[in-house]
Amino acid sequence: MTARNGRPARAGAVSAQAARERTPGAGGAPDAVSGPAHDDTVAGVVRQWRAVHPDLDTAPMEIIGRINRCAALFQQAEDAPLRREGLSRPEFDLLGALRRTGHELTPSELARETFSSGAAVTKRLKQLTERGLVERRGDPRDRRVAHVRLTDAGRALVDGVLPEQLAYERAVLSGLDSEGQGELAALLGELLGRLEGRPGALRI
């Protein structure tokens, strides 16, 4: 992304300019959609909404819609290395939380680490325990509390699959160069940080 003077343009400045050009009455074409040069599903959706409600600012759809669409496509494609091991992404995230923290976690802590509900974690732990990948022990001071840890088989599985999974994810993102991936990671990190720092942000 380069400015007219030959220096790299700041992503925020370009985004702001694009937003002004998209806004009806701001001097830009009302149906111009920002984003990549090629068309995509969300661009078509945005154009349709602008035709129905030309008075509304549909710019948020161009970001949120694309994030949701990418997430849906990633889920449809599944994760090949995990699939070969008979693991779902949420199950691998749970195993990964135990491996990267390096110590036992309670089901409640696992729920926080993996952004999952308690019921979902309970179900996954049952399946992983039956496969011999995790084991639970009770807390001698409180029988209502359980502590979960990886078995040797679970640790070996995570360490074996992780390099393959990262290679698979690199292939998925290979359409973006390293600079583009860095910019995208930074922007998503900024957005996520703001949302995580505002507990009520998603309920406004």
Side-chain angles (χ1 to χ4, degrees), residues 189-199 201:
E190 181 178 353
L191 175 61
L192 180 59
R194 288 177 180 272
L195 293 175
E196 289 180 338
R198 295 168 55 196

Side-chain angles (χ1 to χ4, degrees), residues 89-114 121 124-126 128-129 132-137 146-159 162:
R89 163 62 75 165
E91 289 172 339
F92 184 72
D93 287 344
L94 193 152
L95 295 173
L98 290 168
R99 184 68 175 107
R100 59 184 165 77
T101 57
H103 55 75
E104 296 178 339
L105 295 172
T106 66
S108 295
E109 290 171 333
L110 282 168
R112 289 194 296 270
E113 288 285 339
T114 59
V121 167
R124 290 165 196 152
L125 284 177
K126 181 177 183 297
L128 294 172
T129 300
L133 300 176
V134 302
E135 57 188 13
R136 305 170 61 139
R137 69 172 182 86
H147 297 273
V148 184
R149 62 186 175 190
L150 288 174
T151 62
D152 290 342
R155 186 179 298 105
L157 178 61
V158 173
D159 290 348
L162 184 58

Side-chain angles (χ1 to χ4, degrees), residues 60 62-68 183-199 201-202:
E62 300 186 41
I63 298 173
I64 305 300
R66 287 188 173 104
I67 290 174
N68 289 338
E183 290 178 356
L184 179 58
L187 288 171
L188 290 174
E190 181 178 353
L191 175 61
L192 180 59
R194 288 177 180 272
L195 293 175
E196 289 180 338
R198 295 168 55 196
L202 299 181

Side-chain angles (χ1 to χ4, degrees), residues 46-64:
V46 169
R47 281 195 298 270
Q48 290 171 340
W49 276 118
R50 285 178 178 165
V52 175
H53 285 294
D55 55 320
L56 294 181
D57 178 12
T58 55
M61 291 183 184
E62 300 186 41
I63 298 173
I64 305 300

Side-chain angles (χ1 to χ4, degrees), residues 64-78:
I64 305 300
R66 287 188 173 104
I67 290 174
N68 289 338
R69 180 63 174 159
C70 285
L73 289 172
F74 287 151
Q75 290 175 353
Q76 288 177 15
E78 298 182 351

